Amino acid sequence: MNTTTGHDLAKAAHLLNTGELVAIPTETVYGLAANALDPDAVLKIFEAKKRPGFDPLIVHAGSLEAIRHFVEAIPPAALLLGESFWPGPLTILLRKKPVIPDLVTSGLDTVAVRIPAHPLTAQLLDMLDFPLAAPSANLFGQVSPTRAAHVKDQLAGKVAYILDGGDCSVGLESTIVGFPENELPTIYRLGGIPVEEIEAVIGKVEVRPHSSSNPQAPGMLKSHYAPRKPLFIREEGQDLPENASYLRFSDYLPGIPASRQLVLSKEKDFRTAARNLFAALRELDSADTSSIIAELLPDKGLGRAINDRLRRASVRE
Ligand code: TXA
Ligand code: MG
């Protein structure tokens, strides 16, 4: 299959209408999209990504009205969150209607739903009469793509068309929130909307992103978002290896050539750091060094989600 890149919405809609895959831009990361109501089309996503069938997909829709066609009653707190953060980097787990194939949810009775904020994808969803199932458009377990060229690097030959929407403005995947019965609302994946902002709307939540024993744990397998070379989290006072690249939050380490260091945000701005994170990991991965030493950010706001990605990308003893 020949993979092309462009801005042709009609072409993207045509491919999706005929059961093919299209990579779509969102404000978080690029997604690998298919008609969420067509199991044959959805199966192609799993094949292209080499994704295990037990890892369910997020369904993207253009409006709350569209979402109501495929979910049961939306709990009031979920509605409040949707109204506060959609379109935007928030995914909500809701009870699914039978129209959503089991393949999309890996047999779970909830479906992960989000209204993405990218204008091109919003237009595309408007043109379609079905929602789009879309995981991040990378090979399973690898770094998520934040520009069209990243998608092409990993999925050339496996997707017919990449809709090019430029660089993703958030750069981190969506925050995933669920409403388990008789429990506090629960954040299953840290992401583009910080915990503090969610709590400001619905009150106290549980944060449970690391429970790998939970089969529903969203994308939270032990190793994920991983570059090809080993990534280590830098401990204070640790020796600085010669042949390593360094990922820094805001300043350069003294004594290491600047050419081997990448700073995420000189202004210590979490948003800028999030936007740069995945492209930085890719760049350091292709540098002529044998490992990546990453510095953690302050553990609050988006810093917490960035640290989560760094920890998952890291080598664990
Ligand atoms: O920002 C994003 O969320 C991006 C863009 C493309 O929208 N998508 C994304 O998809 O990150 P993916 O497949 O890489 O991660 C989705 C995560 C998976 O780890 C999956 O386990 C979890 O969502 N998930 C999906 N449905 C679920 C469900 N019903 N219950 C629990 N977790 C679910
Ligand atoms: Mg992913």
Side-chain angles (χ1 to χ4, degrees):
M1 182 189 295
N2 186 24
T3 300
T4 58
T5 301
H7 306 95
D8 189 343
L9 281 168
K11 177 171 178 166
H14 172 74
L15 286 163
L16 291 164
N17 274 316
T18 52
E20 295 302 326
L21 304 183
V22 173
I24 56 167
T26 85
E27 76 283 24
T28 60
V29 300
Y30 276 73
L32 183 63
N35 177 352
L37 309 184
D38 175 356
D40 293 332
V42 171
L43 187 59
K44 292 180 184 170
I45 296 177
F46 284 90
E47 289 169 352
K49 278 194 62 135
K50 301 198 172 74
R51 182 181 179 109
F54 59 76
D55 197 8
L57 306 176
I58 296 177
V59 174
H60 301 69
S63 67
L64 203 52
E65 295 75 65
I67 289 172
R68 289 188 197 280
H69 288 298
F70 60 85
V71 306
E72 301 290 355
I74 304 177
L79 196 57
L80 206 55
L81 282 185
E83 285 166 355
S84 306
F85 297 113
W86 281 341
L90 178 75
T91 293
I92 305 182
L93 304 180
L94 296 168
R95 249 172 207 291
K96 81 177 192 77
K97 285 184 176 161
V99 65
I100 296 287
D102 285 336
L103 184 59
V104 169
T105 62
S106 306
L108 297 172
D109 56 10
T110 54
V111 58
V113 182
R114 127 175 155 85
I115 303 179
H118 196 289
L120 266 190
T121 289
Q123 279 185 62
L124 179 64
L125 284 164
D126 260 1
M127 294 164 72
L128 301 169
D129 54 14
F130 47 80
L132 292 175
S136 51
N138 50 276
L139 292 173
F140 182 72
Q142 300 196 12
V143 179
S144 296
T146 52
R147 59 180 68 131
H150 295 165
V151 179
K152 194 157 189 187
D153 284 349
Q154 292 200 355
L155 297 178
K158 296 178 164 181
V159 54
Y161 194 57
I162 302 170
L163 191 58
D164 188 351
D167 285 6
C168 299
S169 60
V170 174
L172 274 184
E173 299 85 350
S174 58
T175 302
I176 301 181
V177 187
F179 294 86
E181 252 171 74
N182 306 321
E183 284 178 57
L184 280 179
T186 301
I187 293 186
Y188 295 99
R189 180 174 70 184
L190 298 165
I193 306 278
V195 178
E196 296 89 331
E197 287 187 28
I198 288 174
E199 290 193 324
V201 175
I202 57 167
K204 186 96 191 92
V205 300
E206 187 89 36
V207 181
R208 218 186 306 157
H210 286 280
S211 53
S212 54
S213 59
N214 173 5
Q216 304 185 18
M220 293 302 110
L221 296 163
K222 204 171 153 210
S223 164
H224 217 77
Y225 312 102
R228 288 179 303 263
K229 66 175 70 156
L231 181 148
F232 301 93
I233 303 292
R234 174 158 190 258
E235 312 286 348
E236 211 43 58
Q238 176 196 350
D239 285 347
L240 302 177
E242 277 286 313
N243 192 24
S245 294
Y246 289 82
L247 182 65
R248 304 283 302 162
F249 176 29
S250 60
D251 61 355
Y252 289 90
L253 273 171
I256 303 282
S259 60
R260 284 204 273 115
Q261 305 192 49
L262 234 159
V263 166
L264 290 174
S265 167
K266 290 202 171 75
E267 294 75 32
K268 300 193 178 183
D269 177 47
F270 285 163
R271 282 174 187 274
T272 308
R275 197 179 301 134
N276 290 333
L277 177 68
F278 289 144
L281 284 177
R282 280 165 195 270
E283 191 175 329
L284 297 179
D285 206 15
S286 53
D288 189 19
T289 53
S290 52
S291 61
I292 300 170
I293 314 264
E295 173 191 35
L296 292 179
L297 276 64
D299 225 358
K300 59 178 187 208
L302 281 181
R304 197 167 166 187
I306 293 170
N307 289 347
D308 171 84
R309 299 303 186 274
L310 290 173
R311 290 198 180 98
R312 282 176 206 290
S314 72
V315 178
R316 290 148 190 241
E317 260 80 21

